[in-house]
Amino acid sequence: MADVRFDQATRVYPGNDAPAVDALDLTIADGEFMVLVGPSGSGKTTALRMLAGLEEVDAGSIFVGERDITDVAPKNRDIAMVFQNYALYPYLTVAANIGFPLKIAGMKKRERERKVQEVAELLDITDQLHKKPGQLSGGQRQRVAMGRAIVREPSVFLMDEPLSNLDAKLRVQMRADIAALQSRLGVTTVYVTHDQSEAMTLGHRVAVLKDAKLQQCDTPRELYARPANTFVAGFIGSPSMNLCTVPVANGCVSFGGMPVSVPAGVAGDSVVLGLRPEALELAAEGLDAEVEVVEELGADAYVFCVAEVNGAPTKLVARSHARQAPHRGSRVKLRPLADEAHLFRPDTGERIDS
Amino acid sequence: MSAVAAPLERRRPPRAVRRRRFLIAVADHSLLIAAAAAFLAPVVFIALTALMTNDQALSAHLWPHPFRWSNFKEAISTAPLLRWTLNTLIYAALATIGILVSSIPVAYALAKLRWRGRNAVMLVVLVALMLPPQVSVVPLYVMWAKLGNAVGFHFVGSLWPLIIPAWLGDAFSIFLLRQFFMTIPEEYLDAARVDGCGELRILTTVVLRLAKPAIAAVALFSVLYTFNDFFLPLLYLSDNPSSWVVSLGLSQYRSLHQVQWNLTMAATLLVMAPVIVVFFLAQRAFVEGVTLTGVKG
Ligand SMILES: Nc1ncnc2c1ncn2[C@@H]1O[C@H](COP(=O)(O)OP(=O)(O)O)[C@@H](O)[C@H]1O
Ligand SMILES: [Mg+2]
């Protein structure tokens, strides 16, 4: 029904030289939950607004289904959007806010009320309907904003950091609610966040943006297992992947005395070695490191240390069982799990596949 | 729940602090009372004079004795006060509607739409704002007079030269509304755009509601301005008493009959009354204020 396709879509804000979204190629399948993630200023919001029709597309085009919507006015795109600050009209009741798009579309009052009621039941806000947005808590406002989006039954939902104004606990709960709602409604959804854990838990697929460019788009599992470059490797996962540049000798790199083989044909005399915290274990043999901080997480602990890698002091994170966690200031040996190592080219940062 | 809570022992601020607060309160109130008295004195004087006989009004006594309530009736009957009031109402209503209808879309375009030349147009508005009306009044008068000759209708002597310009935008109102529209979060407008509104629809459904206090303020300013306006009526209406407005009428009151201060004051009071009522009503519109609580952060 409604897949979405960005085809070399570019946006350059007037007065800027650099594009805010640079030749974006991205296809979102019908019913898919796509998350755009990236650091602040990477162009996520701009990409979403281009899809909504709120920003000009300066080059390339955007399709919904077979329809080229590049120059279609926002009101004719059949797209609904949830805004970061919810954008609920303060002078309207919750019911009127939810019913607003239907009213604009000219739907009869009776039918409108029925639909608003339906949506309110779905979102569990029936007893808030007569209130004004100012009387609601953050979480309730969030639900009303969702309600206003779904009541229209649009072909695409857009959400721009919808959870960023909520406290941590509510955020986790709403995250689950949004995921459940999306799979129930089955509407193509594009969701923007700067929080990689939100992206990983919500997205069917996740598109990572940086400096206006798409870095990688894949399932959360693939992003984690096979990051396309050092940026994605460092951005996805918490704590971040350990990345250090090490010299290549005899088709191997050596890290803490453990050899990691490098595929033949890799040019240059060094590579970037990437090891996730869980691929770095405390052992009797390995790289000598000093423990700086230990973060206890109950069952596990993250051990933040400093070690000498390639002649320079480097910060590394390892995961250990809480029971074996060392003390701050003590010295430990770090051993890499060679088959979980990632390799990247030092010049471009691109992944080297074995 | 826990056991009986101990009654709260309210702490009293120390003596020195209380004394200080008291003195500050006294100082504040004395200032405000003095200011209020200064503003009220002329009104009280007008009200008292309006109730005197003409002889009393010319004497040194401040308190009317006896009270002559019939002054008001007389004031209405000795001059076409109702006619003038009607003219003022026509002027105020048509000019105010004109200002709102013509200035709101311009202010919206200047505040919220991106278009080439926007800054230049804003500059023109600012220049028009700074230009005193006296500068353009002679050429405008000539224009109305010539236009009247050309189409065979005497604009000069009618209310039209006062009303029509209001329908062509008012720099002050455009500026004030634009400043307010700028503070409306873009998200509201974007949400409306996505939800199916065109720009005109956004203006009429969303912006008008959000900007109610500013629009009320502009309307109020316009009503008060037209009500008090003396300069333009004097210029255009002097020769035609049937189209006089109250401000002009009152100034001519003395010369209509001999100087009758009591009647003049009674008429003045009658004319002031609606302004005071408008003020009290509008006060509530202001207090209602901007409640942008739907958006936070
Ligand atoms: N209205 C605008 N005018 C000019 N530049 C903008 C505008 N909005 C965003 N930008 C710039 O475009 C880039 C991308 O912004 P944005 O899409 O908001 O990033 P994100 O949502 O990923 O934080 C940033 O460098 C930002 O400064
Ligand atoms: Mg953003």
Side-chain angles (χ1 to χ4, degrees):
Chain A
M1 276 195 333
D3 51 324
V4 173
R5 187 155 58 85
F6 287 87
D7 181 10
Q8 293 285 307
T10 301
R11 170 66 175 152
V12 186
Y13 282 107
N16 286 10
D17 297 331
V21 170
D22 193 359
L24 178 64
D25 272 322
L26 186 64
T27 305
I28 303 158
D30 182 27
E32 187 173 27
F33 197 131
M34 171 66 78
V35 177
L36 303 185
V37 71
S40 175
S42 55
K44 312 177 294 288
T45 298
T46 306
L48 200 69
R49 290 171 59 84
M50 287 161 78
L51 178 51
L54 298 171
E55 292 294 344
E56 204 70 37
V57 178
D58 294 311
S61 38
I62 301 177
F63 295 84
V64 172
E66 288 306 305
R67 182 168 168 232
D68 183 347
I69 58 156
T70 312
D71 294 312
V72 175
K75 62 174 180 155
N76 299 326
R77 290 194 181 201
D78 196 21
I79 285 175
M81 185 156 171
V82 176
F83 291 83
Q84 185 171 0
N85 295 311
Y86 318 137
L88 301 176
Y89 303 117
Y91 53 85
L92 293 179
T93 61
V94 166
N97 263 292
I98 296 176
F100 182 79
L102 304 180
K103 188 171 179 189
I104 295 300
M107 186 183 281
K108 292 240 161 54
K109 191 163 180 232
R110 286 279 290 280
E111 194 174 355
R112 212 161 70 209
E113 279 168 357
R114 189 178 58 76
K115 287 221 156 203
V116 168
Q117 189 64 32
E118 250 175 54
V119 166
E121 274 162 25
L122 185 67
L123 293 168
D124 199 17
I125 47 173
T126 35
D127 36 350
Q128 322 289 342
L129 282 178
H130 60 281
K131 291 187 187 166
K132 293 276 174 75
Q135 298 165 284
L136 302 183
S137 71
Q140 289 167 334
R141 283 182 210 181
Q142 167 63 51
R143 281 168 193 277
V144 177
M146 299 278 302
R148 188 172 62 181
I150 63 183
V151 76
R152 279 168 57 194
E153 300 170 14
S155 47
V156 184
F157 281 149
L158 309 181
M159 303 188 202
D160 189 0
E161 313 224 7
L163 303 183
S164 60
N165 280 336
L166 304 180
D167 61 62
K169 193 172 167 198
L170 202 53
R171 194 148 53 202
V172 172
Q173 186 198 331
M174 281 304 296
R175 196 152 88 185
D177 288 355
I178 288 178
L181 191 68
Q182 197 274 342
S183 74
R184 179 165 167 189
L185 299 172
V187 177
T188 314
T189 302
V190 187
Y191 184 107
V192 161
T193 179
H194 63 268
D195 179 349
Q196 61 89 25
S197 66
E198 210 169 288
M200 297 293 274
T201 48
L202 277 175
H204 297 165
R205 282 193 303 153
V206 175
V208 183
L209 277 91
K210 182 203 172 213
D211 296 341
K213 285 205 190 291
L214 179 65
Q215 305 292 312
Q216 187 176 3
C217 175
D218 222 321
T219 60
R221 183 177 301 239
E222 271 299 295
L223 277 185
Y224 192 79
R226 297 171 53 77
N229 56 36
T230 49
F231 174 77
V232 177
F235 191 78
I236 299 290
S238 174
S240 304
M241 183 188 282
N242 299 297
L243 293 166
C244 33
T245 310
V246 289
V248 180
N250 307 325
C252 261
V253 296
S254 162
F255 184 88
M258 299 292 294
V260 176
S261 65
V262 175
V266 171
D269 50 8
S270 65
V271 292
V272 176
L273 176 67
L275 290 164
R276 297 223 177 259
E278 64 268 25
L280 206 54
E281 57 179 16
L282 305 185
E285 288 288 293
L287 184 67
D288 189 40
E290 184 182 343
V291 178
E292 282 199 316
V293 174
V294 178
E295 234 177 49
E296 299 270 5
L297 294 173
D300 289 334
Y302 285 111
V303 183
F304 293 77
C305 356
V306 180
E308 185 117 330
V309 178
N310 202 12
T314 307
K315 288 187 188 280
L316 297 169
V317 191
R319 193 171 79 179
S320 87
H321 288 296
R323 261 171 285 159
Q324 297 155 11
H327 291 291
R328 206 175 135 189
S330 61
R331 299 202 75 84
V332 293
K333 304 261 188 228
L334 301 175
R335 192 177 64 181
L337 303 179
D339 46 351
E340 290 187 26
H342 305 261
L343 295 173
F344 304 96
R345 292 170 56 112
D347 46 354
T348 60
E350 274 169 42
R351 179 179 190 83
I352 300 169
D353 273 308
S354 42
Chain B
M1 296 285 5
S2 65
V4 192
L8 178 68
E9 189 77 45
R10 261 189 209 285
R11 162 186 173 280
R12 265 163 81 84
R15 206 183 145 77
V17 173
R18 271 185 289 148
R19 195 181 146 78
R20 218 181 118 77
R21 285 184 189 163
F22 176 73
L23 287 178
I24 290 175
V26 168
D28 285 351
H29 282 82
S30 336
L31 262 175
L32 291 175
I33 288 169
F39 280 108
L40 273 177
V43 180
V44 171
F45 181 76
I46 292 172
L48 292 176
T49 311
L51 292 168
M52 293 174 179
T53 62
N54 201 33
D55 292 343
Q56 281 173 355
L58 295 171
S59 73
H61 298 290
L62 281 178
W63 198 252
H65 181 82
F67 283 84
R68 260 190 56 156
W69 297 99
S70 59
N71 281 350
F72 291 107
K73 223 182 193 169
E74 209 171 314
I76 294 173
S77 56
T78 49
L81 201 57
L82 288 179
R83 175 78 231 172
W84 298 342
T85 308
L86 188 67
N87 286 339
T88 294
L89 288 181
I90 291 171
Y91 175 28
L94 291 185
T96 300
I97 294 170
I99 280 179
L100 292 179
V101 169
S102 59
S103 301
I104 289 174
V106 179
Y108 178 68
L110 285 172
K112 288 295 184 190
L113 302 181
R114 296 180 216 160
W115 42 282
R116 196 185 296 250
R118 185 171 81 164
N119 291 341
V121 171
M122 189 62 213
L123 204 66
V124 171
V125 171
L126 286 177
V127 167
L129 185 64
M130 289 167 205
L131 208 66
Q134 285 80 355
V135 171
S136 55
V137 89
V138 172
L140 276 177
Y141 185 90
V142 173
M143 185 200 85
W144 285 115
K146 286 193 172 167
L147 194 66
N149 288 340
V151 302
F153 175 81
H154 289 288
F155 284 107
V156 174
S158 78
L159 285 167
W160 295 114
L162 282 60
I163 291 168
I164 291 171
W167 287 79
L168 303 177
D170 169 64
F172 170 73
S173 308
I174 290 172
F175 180 72
L176 196 148
L177 288 170
R178 178 224 181 222
Q179 294 309 99
F180 193 88
F181 290 170
M182 302 260 283
T183 67
I184 294 178
E186 203 67 40
E187 259 193 11
Y188 284 133
L189 312 183
D190 284 341
R193 282 181 190 121
V194 172
D195 281 343
C197 296
E199 293 304 326
L200 198 61
R201 196 81 182 262
I202 293 176
L203 182 59
T204 52
T205 55
V206 179
V207 174
L208 286 193
R209 289 296 295 272
L210 288 171
K212 226 162 82 179
I215 292 168
V218 165
L220 187 70
F221 281 133
S222 163
V223 166
L224 291 180
Y225 175 82
T226 48
F227 209 88
N228 288 330
D229 187 15
F230 180 65
F231 180 61
L232 291 179
L234 181 67
L235 191 71
Y236 286 105
L237 308 177
S238 290
D239 294 340
N240 182 6
S242 71
S243 62
W244 281 4
V245 294
V246 282
S247 59
L248 190 58
L250 280 184
S251 77
Q252 309 292 321
Y253 207 95
R254 281 162 293 166
S255 49
L256 275 183
H257 312 273
Q258 327 134 341
V259 191
Q260 287 199 297
W261 285 111
N262 56 342
L263 295 190
T264 309
M265 292 305 171
T268 306
L269 209 59
L270 285 173
V271 168
M272 263 167 46
V275 182
I276 291 170
V277 170
V278 166
F279 245 112
F280 276 106
L281 292 182
Q283 200 180 17
R284 289 192 56 184
F286 280 121
V287 173
E288 211 170 75
V290 203
T291 39
L292 297 176
T293 35
V295 160
K296 61 169 197 170

